[in-house]
């Protein structure tokens, strides 16, 4: 009861303050663009062949920042995987999942999430989205499968942590190579349009942006899925108890 | 314009409700669900302000990954918070 009263008081304060605020201070909406945003809006399609200004800034104008950011995430997940490292064999029990209803619902939802994540990642240079949101969305799908169908189902299908870490390593190496390749022709690192083709047979490729998105998608999805697989290993295995 | 403002105010107030419920909830699984609801409210705010890229990443990470990892962590500990631990 006390909880409801506090909640009502909180909501009332929020409603009253949101009504009063526009009366006390005048909220001005900017009517014109700043020079920096005008530059990006006008020149993005010319400089990077990408109609999506955010993806162009992230992977082209400020590309080196993003490469280092990917490196930080790489090191963070490597640290996590080192802590949860388990080299022994998991006991192959018969998969025990949840009820038929939740399993059927999860099957449908997983297909939907995978499709949406692919759309987010592969259209990252055309529409809002990109490699990181797409990869995270795909990792959510596998994180749904683990509790509903049990971890053994994934392992029996051949989705093991070793393979996932390998996919992650390969795609991050590819990402580094895409960033480094322009150096061969004497261009600076993370060059886009002067080295990679912007258009291919009428399709907008946006040069290296679509490549970065694809590789980042694979790296993030496999990295987070590997972490989820390690997290779902029961603690008894680490302690070396009878179940191990 | 007015619809955007109404959406902003409604999502902000709803997020306060979710945050309060998450903090006071003793069942940690329910608290995680409330926290995910708060994330959805914030994503709505970001979308209303026109930051579609951020909204997409926010939904995937904050409502999806964060909640999933919290559920994994709760499965390794107790589901209910102890009474009188305030």
């Amino acid at each position: 009861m006390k909880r409801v009263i506090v909640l009502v008081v909180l909501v009332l304060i929020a409603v009253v303050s949101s009504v009063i605020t526009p009366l006390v201070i005048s909220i001005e909406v900017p009517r014109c663009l700043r020079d920096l945003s005008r530059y990006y809006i006008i020149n993005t399609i010319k400089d990077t062949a990408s109609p999506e200004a955010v993806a162009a800034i992230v992977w082209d104008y400020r590309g080196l920042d993003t490469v280092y950011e990917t490196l930080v995430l790489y090191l963070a997940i490597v640290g996590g995987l080192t802590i949860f490292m388990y080299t022994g064999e998991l006991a192959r029990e018969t998969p025990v999942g949840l009820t038929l209803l939740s399993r059927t619902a999860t099957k449908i939802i997983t297909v939907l999430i995978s499709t949406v994540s692919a759309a987010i990642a592969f259209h990252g240079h055309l529409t809002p989205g990109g490699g990181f949101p797409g990869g995270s969305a795909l990792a959510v799908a596998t994180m749904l499968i683990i509790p509903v169908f049990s971890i053994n189902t994934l392992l029996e299908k051949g989705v093991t942590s070793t393979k996932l870490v390998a996919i992650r390593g390969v795609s991050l190496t590819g990402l580094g190579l895409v960033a480094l390749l322009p150096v061969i022709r004497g261009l600076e690192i993370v060059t886009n349009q002067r080295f990679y083709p912007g258009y291919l047979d009428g399709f907008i490729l946006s040069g290296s942006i679509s490549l970065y998105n694809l590789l980042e998608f694979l790296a993030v999805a496999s990295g987070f899925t590997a972490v989820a697989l390690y997290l779902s290993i029961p603690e008894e295995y680490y302690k070396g108890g009878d179940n191990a | 314009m007015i619809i955007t403002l109404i959406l902003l105010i409604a999502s902000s107030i709803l997020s306060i409700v979710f945050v309060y419920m998450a903090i006071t909830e003793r069942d940690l699984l329910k608290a995680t669900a409330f926290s995910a609801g708060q994330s959805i409210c914030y994503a709505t705010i970001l979308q209303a302000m026109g930051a579609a890229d951020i909204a997409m990443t926010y939904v995937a990470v904050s409502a999806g990954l964060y909640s999933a990892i919290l559920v994994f962590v709760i499965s390794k500990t107790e589901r209910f918070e102890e009474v009188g631990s305030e």
Side-chain angles (χ1 to χ4, degrees):
Chain A
M1 194 60 211
K2 187 188 157 203
R3 216 174 145 197
V4 177
I5 296 169
V6 176
L7 191 56
V8 169
V9 172
L10 266 178
V11 170
L12 273 181
I13 292 172
V15 171
V16 170
S17 56
S18 66
V19 171
I20 289 175
T21 315
L23 302 176
V24 178
I25 52 170
S26 59
I27 300 169
E28 291 283 330
V29 180
R31 294 283 167 209
C32 57
L33 287 172
R34 285 187 300 157
D35 290 345
L36 187 65
S37 23
R38 187 178 294 123
Y39 175 85
Y40 282 132
I41 287 169
I42 293 171
N43 294 308
T44 298
I45 187 78
K46 194 171 64 197
D47 288 348
T48 69
S50 168
E52 229 265 296
V54 177
I57 292 169
V58 166
W59 283 117
D60 189 333
Y61 291 111
R62 300 259 71 83
L64 202 55
D65 295 5
T66 316
V67 170
Y68 278 116
E69 197 186 304
T70 309
L71 189 68
V72 170
L73 186 76
Y74 168 73
L75 291 176
I77 290 192
V78 162
L81 290 179
T82 317
I83 292 172
F84 288 110
M85 184 72 94
Y86 179 73
T87 48
E89 273 286 306
L90 279 177
R92 290 295 169 98
E93 298 152 7
T94 42
V96 184
L98 297 183
T99 57
L100 183 67
L101 191 67
S102 47
R103 275 189 288 174
T104 314
T106 312
K107 276 178 193 166
I108 300 169
I109 292 172
T110 313
V111 173
L112 290 179
I113 294 178
S114 313
T115 318
V116 168
S117 69
I120 293 173
F122 301 148
H123 289 170
H125 57 295
L126 304 173
T127 51
F132 189 83
S136 320
L138 190 60
V140 170
T142 48
M143 283 188 180
L144 260 181
I145 293 176
I146 291 173
V148 176
F149 288 94
S150 88
I151 180 173
N152 285 311
T153 316
L154 270 184
L155 293 177
E156 276 173 13
K157 302 273 180 208
V159 185
T160 57
S161 311
T162 324
K163 277 184 197 165
L164 288 168
V165 173
I167 294 174
R168 184 183 144 70
V170 168
S171 43
L172 280 172
T173 314
L175 207 148
L177 280 179
V178 171
L180 273 176
L181 271 182
V183 178
I184 298 170
R185 277 182 48 187
L187 301 162
E188 62 262 40
I189 192 168
V190 204
T191 303
N192 181 5
Q193 278 303 290
R194 279 173 292 150
F195 190 77
Y196 294 99
Y199 302 91
L200 182 72
D201 199 21
F203 284 103
I204 304 176
L205 279 186
S206 310
S208 56
I209 296 177
S210 50
L211 286 175
Y212 283 132
N213 273 334
L214 171 67
L215 294 168
E216 174 98 356
F217 170 68
L218 289 174
V220 169
S222 54
F224 281 134
T225 309
V227 169
L229 277 179
Y230 275 118
L231 272 178
S232 57
I233 296 175
E235 277 176 32
E236 286 78 28
Y237 287 96
Y238 292 106
K239 290 173 186 161
D242 296 337
N243 292 337
Chain B
M1 182 64 202
I2 194 77
I3 295 173
T4 311
L5 271 180
I6 290 171
L7 200 60
L8 280 177
I9 292 170
S11 321
S12 321
I13 291 170
L14 199 59
S15 77
I16 292 176
V17 175
F18 276 126
V19 167
Y20 183 76
M21 300 286 270
I23 292 172
T24 52
E25 184 60 58
R26 294 231 178 271
D27 186 346
L28 294 178
L29 266 185
K30 275 188 192 168
T32 310
F34 286 132
S35 163
Q38 175 262 336
S39 309
I40 299 287
C41 291
Y42 275 23
T44 315
I45 293 174
L46 289 168
Q47 177 67 38
M49 291 196 292
D53 292 80
I54 310 288
M56 214 170 270
T57 315
Y58 198 89
V59 166
V61 172
S62 186
L65 286 178
Y66 175 71
S67 313
I69 286 180
L70 273 186
V71 170
F72 275 121
V73 171
I74 292 168
S75 76
K76 288 190 186 297
T77 175
E78 287 164 4
R79 183 172 162 178
F80 291 95
E81 206 175 327
E82 278 177 31
V83 182
S85 62
E86 288 169 353

